[in-house]
Amino acid sequence: GQQVMQIPQYQHVQEGEDFTTYCNSSTTLSNIQWYKQRPGGHPVFLIQLVKSGEVKKQKRLTFQFGEAKKNSSLHITATQTTDVGTYFCAGPGRGGADGLTFGKGTHLIIQP
Amino acid sequence: EAQVTQNPRYLITVTGKKLTVTCSQNMNHEYMSWYRQDPGLGLRQIYYSMNVEVTDKGDVPEGYKVSRKEKRNFPLILESPSPNQTSLYFCASSLAGEGRDLFFGPGTRLTVL
């Protein structure tokens, strides 16, 4: 099935610094989704990107979909302690139109 | 409240003792899926279901069974659990169609001794 690679696996930042996680696929993705999982919690949907070159913002979070629709990024400006968690990207997977294949996630650790 | 529920939330069992983890959603979603989450491996799909009586294998189906007799329920069955099935399990559901976002349950932490 389709795979999405996500880097870095871990990212330590000082509170107030920026953070970026990257997601790459060897094949063109029809769409990509991003999820956040707080420590001890479950993944929660953040956003979906569909169009080539699309950029979406949610407050301090900026999501981008590459022009070739093979990569995506999530950038957080001026991190806060509430941003702690694991961020996953997910693309269409084995389940055809209804399945998702997740990247391994980036763990964001924030030092006060 | 729209939600996906799982039971039990925590379970410690022994090798070979059959167990079932239940999953139920109240959003009338067609699609349901089970994932396991392990350190360094992320979320891996076990089984999924497009609708009632329609199920298919995900990436790591060995040692698991599922059924979808009703739209709202999608139980995960471990006929003979082994220690390598110790993991955190998530059930998720969504509407049918590509690009639909997944709603996850709270997770079930399973330990097989």
Side-chain angles (χ1 to χ4, degrees), chain A residues 42-53:
Chain A
H42 58 275
V44 175
F45 174 78
L46 292 177
I47 208 160
Q48 178 181 256
L49 304 171
V50 178
K51 299 176 184 176
S52 169

Side-chain angles (χ1 to χ4, degrees), chain A residues 35-105:
Chain A
Y35 290 76
K36 176 184 178 181
Q37 183 179 21
R38 295 181 185 274
H42 58 275
V44 175
F45 174 78
L46 292 177
I47 208 160
Q48 178 181 256
L49 304 171
V50 178
K51 299 176 184 176
S52 169
E54 188 170 14
V55 178
K56 287 188 176 181
K57 292 191 176 185
Q58 289 179 351
K59 296 183 181 178
R60 293 178 295 104
L61 278 61
T62 302
F63 303 84
Q64 293 189 334
F65 203 8
E67 293 290 341
K69 300 182 73 172
K70 289 185 176 182
N71 58 76
S72 181
S73 65
L74 158 59
H75 179 82
I76 302 178
T77 303
T79 54
Q80 300 175 359
T81 54
T82 53
D83 296 325
V84 164
T86 303
Y87 293 85
F88 294 96
C89 61
R94 175 185 290 269
D98 293 310
L100 284 179
T101 294
F102 283 81
K104 292 185 178 180

Side-chain angles (χ1 to χ4, degrees), chain A residues 9 30-31 33 35 37 41-43 45 48 88 92 94-95 97-100 102 104, chain B residues 31 35 37 40 42-43 48 50 57-59 90 96-102 104-105:
Chain A
Q9 187 174 359
S30 57
N31 66 84
Q33 298 182 10
Y35 290 76
Q37 183 179 21
H42 58 275
F45 174 78
Q48 178 181 256
F88 294 96
R94 175 185 290 269
D98 293 310
L100 284 179
F102 283 81
K104 292 185 178 180
Chain B
Y31 178 84
Y35 289 86
Q37 185 174 30
L43 291 158
Y48 64 94
M50 302 280 231
K57 296 177 181 179
D59 296 312
F90 288 103
E98 187 169 324
R100 299 292 188 174
D101 52 292
L102 283 174
F104 281 82

